[in-house]
Amino acid sequence: MPAIGIIKEVTCVISGVLLVFNIDNPLTKLCPAKTTITVTSGTSKSTSTSRSSSHSTSFSTSHSTSKSSSRSTSTSTIFVGSSTSIVVPGSTLTVPTTSSSIPLTTSTSTSSPSSSSVVISTSSTEVPTTSSSVFSTSTSSSTSAATPTGYDAFNCPSDLPLSCSNTTAIADTCCFESPGGLILQTQFWDVSPATGPNNSWTIHGLWPDNCDGTYEQYCDPAREYTNLTQILQSYGRQDLVDYSLTYWASNSGPAETFWEHEFGKHGTCMSTFDIQCYPNYTPGAEVVDFFNRTISLFKDLPSYDWLAAAGIVPSTTVQYTLAQFENALAPHHGGNKPYVGCSGGQVDELWYYYYVQGSLQEGNYVPTAYGSSSCPASFWYYPKGYTAPTTTTSNPTASATATACSTASATPFVGKGYLNVYNAAGTKQGFVISTGKWLLSGTPATYRTSTTTGQGPFTLTTSKGLCAIQADSSLFCDASVTTGAQFYSDGSSLQYNSSDIFSAASTPSGTAQGTIFAGDSMAVDITLQWQTIC
């Protein structure tokens, strides 16, 4: 609580107007970029700034001059104090108060400047009633918008280093993607059920991996939007909706739900898409840029055409090798091999890696390579719509009496599966991700073994590469591993050095990733249990 004689105020820019609030005014939650001003009787003001962001950044603030930008305009100032309703010349702004995950609904008056206004209120009658509410982004010519305090993803220096290549900290994460500086454009080949045109791969997503191959996820619950189609339409981008309905389709539910998952999980973790990186932010602007960039990269990566040009076309009689795929695709990606993913003996994914110079919105994407393929020596590239056997063999002349995959009767550690984490009480607590780390929630990684009997010794492989037990006894999976650790099984429990006990310093929480160690040297004992997947 402030000391007697000290007043704290918060300032921010909304609709081109500099507003000054008492610090306890509930309307301060509307401010995307805030400046806290401490005033002591008889002294001058001093300022400190904070960013409401999933990525911490420090920067200087000035209300008299903003960062040089073509979007920059002048502002007027209104002192709000403790009031919970204000009128600002410019436009009408309706503010939800019950949930920060519901987008602001914004409309701009088309009447004369003398009669138009912005009304900001905490009245419950102005809260959108459903999560499908959408904001309008139209602006009348009489309304000026000021550049908020902060950085600008659309005016980045030309001499920035590539993401993941800096040797010193880069403060401006609006122009330097961090920590997720290893960008993946991922594609699906869905056979049954088929998605998209028969002569095209489809979009999986755009992902920001950390430079070491780990990743963040679900970084901003307030922006896990559930009305992406309406957001795109409100910006006049029906073209993005139409293209996505064809090329960004889901094989297991509505396309909209798939898009929401991809943006909520990955898009909210991209630092240059943070709302503070937009000089004149209007709600949902980052969604448009996320779709724009994902689709533009996908259009630059016509995988089907490149494969076909090399004589690699979908077939039910001919198998292909990993080398054939890589040799057909790498020349179009700066000589860098993409990750080729397989499931059940058939190819189903491609991941193209990039580093970025500048922001994701406008930066230069430089192809790179990372990780190793999950495909066997030869695999199927089936035509879309083909009903493939549920289990396959690498020999196309082998018996066609394959039976359906049954997880109930499957032998543990044969084929592919998840590694689930169980505590000493036998309660499941998350799973192991592709790097060998422990995570409580999210998406488990697919592990593959080298055994056909379920007995050891065998190796473990993920999309990141082989798994090893390092000198400090920690589990580590990466493309740099050349000799995998030798594991064994005890039923469905993973064993190493004749023990099924693994341990960690503590149980991770939230999106934190815990390091797993072989043996019981750490405080929390766990076991790793195999779950077969088809």
Side-chain angles (χ1 to χ4, degrees):
M1 182 175 182
I4 295 175
I6 296 177
I7 303 171
K8 286 193 174 183
E9 297 173 343
V10 170
T11 70
C12 67
V13 176
I14 298 178
S15 296
V17 179
L18 179 63
L19 305 177
V20 183
F21 301 92
N22 285 348
I23 195 168
D24 56 353
N25 192 314
L27 291 178
T28 60
K29 68 183 179 181
L30 302 178
C31 298
K34 305 175 184 178
T35 300
T36 301
I37 304 175
T38 302
V39 184
T40 306
S41 298
T43 65
S44 60
K45 293 185 178 183
S46 61
T47 66
S48 63
T49 60
S50 64
R51 281 183 82 198
S52 175
S53 167
S54 59
H55 299 280
S56 177
T57 308
S58 60
F59 54 92
S60 61
T61 305
S62 171
H63 292 293
S64 58
T65 59
S66 59
K67 182 178 176 72
S68 176
S69 168
S70 60
R71 301 169 179 82
S72 173
T73 59
S74 62
T75 66
S76 57
T77 303
I78 292 182
F79 290 88
V80 183
S82 301
S83 172
T84 58
S85 181
I86 62 175
V87 177
V88 180
S91 61
T92 301
L93 184 66
T94 303
V95 181
T97 58
T98 60
S99 172
S100 59
S101 65
I102 301 176
L104 296 178
T105 300
T106 311
S107 63
T108 302
S109 172
T110 57
S111 58
S112 64
S114 61
S115 62
S116 61
S117 64
V118 170
V119 180
I120 302 179
S121 173
T122 56
S123 169
S124 60
T125 61
E126 298 185 14
V127 179
T129 57
T130 68
S131 61
S132 62
S133 62
V134 67
F135 30 74
S136 167
T137 58
S138 59
T139 305
S140 69
S141 59
S142 63
T143 303
S144 63
T147 303
T149 301
Y151 292 118
D152 182 352
F154 301 90
N155 286 285
C156 295
S158 60
D159 58 349
L160 287 172
L162 284 176
S163 56
C164 294
S165 69
N166 56 308
T167 56
T168 59
I170 305 292
D172 184 357
T173 55
C174 290
C175 287
F176 183 80
E177 187 61 40
S178 178
L182 184 62
I183 305 302
L184 292 73
Q185 198 289 302
T186 55
Q187 302 183 7
F188 272 140
W189 183 258
D190 290 324
V191 173
S192 181
T195 60
N198 291 336
N199 62 347
S200 177
W201 289 60
T202 56
I203 299 171
H204 185 169
L206 187 67
W207 304 345
D209 271 16
N210 298 335
C211 301
D212 61 359
T214 61
Y215 59 90
E216 314 296 324
Q217 58 180 356
Y218 301 108
C219 296
D220 188 356
R223 292 190 295 139
E224 291 178 22
Y225 304 127
T226 57
N227 57 336
L228 298 187
T229 295
Q230 291 175 288
I231 291 173
L232 294 173
Q233 290 171 336
S234 75
Y235 279 83
R237 296 308 304 270
Q238 183 64 40
D239 60 316
L240 295 178
V241 176
D242 294 340
Y243 190 91
S244 298
L245 287 171
T246 299
Y247 292 98
W248 200 343
S250 171
N251 69 350
S252 59
E256 168 84 22
T257 303
F258 184 27
W259 307 338
E260 291 164 2
H261 166 79
E262 289 298 309
F263 180 80
K265 181 177 180 179
H266 303 293
T268 61
C269 296
M270 295 172 169
S271 68
T272 65
F273 286 156
D274 188 280
I275 63 175
Q276 305 308 320
C277 300
Y278 289 78
N280 299 312
Y281 179 72
T282 51
E286 75 279 24
V287 171
V288 180
D289 287 334
F290 177 75
F291 273 73
N292 251 334
R293 180 51 71 186
T294 302
I295 290 172
S296 65
L297 280 178
F298 175 74
K299 287 180 176 180
D300 288 339
L301 298 165
S303 301
Y304 184 93
D305 294 342
W306 293 339
L307 291 168
I312 301 172
V313 294
S315 173
T316 61
T317 60
V318 177
Q319 287 190 311
Y320 298 100
T321 66
L322 176 61
Q324 286 177 297
F325 260 65
E326 291 176 338
N327 292 339
L329 298 173
H332 303 282
H333 194 55
N336 298 282
K337 300 175 182 178
Y339 165 82
V340 184
C342 288
S343 177
Q346 53 184 303
V347 66
D348 60 358
E349 282 218 69
L350 293 172
W351 299 353
Y352 293 91
Y353 288 87
Y354 295 89
Y355 294 128
V356 180
Q357 183 184 40
S359 68
L360 295 183
Q361 293 92 324
E362 297 188 342
N364 179 33
Y365 284 66
V366 178
T368 187
Y370 193 90
S372 57
S373 170
S374 64
C375 291
S378 60
F379 49 84
W380 295 104
Y381 180 26
Y382 286 127
K384 290 188 178 182
Y386 175 67
T387 303
T390 52
T391 60
T392 63
T393 174
S394 60
N395 180 2
T397 64
S399 170
T401 59
T403 57
C405 172
S406 171
T407 59
S409 61
T411 303
F413 295 99
V414 172
K416 60 182 181 178
Y418 301 142
L419 281 176
N420 294 317
V421 177
Y422 284 79
N423 63 18
T427 302
K428 182 177 179 296
Q429 289 192 299
F431 43 80
V432 188
I433 59 176
S434 59
T435 56
K437 299 288 188 180
W438 177 12
L439 190 66
L440 287 187
S441 62
T443 305
T446 298
Y447 278 74
R448 290 172 171 81
T449 70
S450 60
T451 179
T452 58
T453 64
Q455 304 301 309
F458 56 81
T459 58
L460 291 172
T461 305
T462 74
S463 62
K464 301 301 183 187
L466 275 171
C467 299
I469 299 296
Q470 301 188 101
D472 64 353
S473 296
S474 63
L475 178 62
F476 176 67
C477 305
D478 190 76
S480 63
V481 175
T482 57
T483 304
Q486 300 296 296
F487 295 98
Y488 292 81
S489 65
D490 178 13
S492 61
S493 297
L494 184 68
Q495 285 190 325
Y496 181 76
N497 277 350
S498 301
S499 173
D500 62 359
I501 300 299
F502 292 78
S503 60
S506 61
T507 301
S509 61
T511 59
Q513 300 174 9
T515 300
I516 297 173
F517 296 86
D520 59 359
S521 60
M522 308 305 286
V524 179
D525 287 348
I526 57 175
T527 58
L528 307 181
Q529 302 284 330
W530 182 263
Q531 177 187 342
T532 298
I533 58 176
C534 293

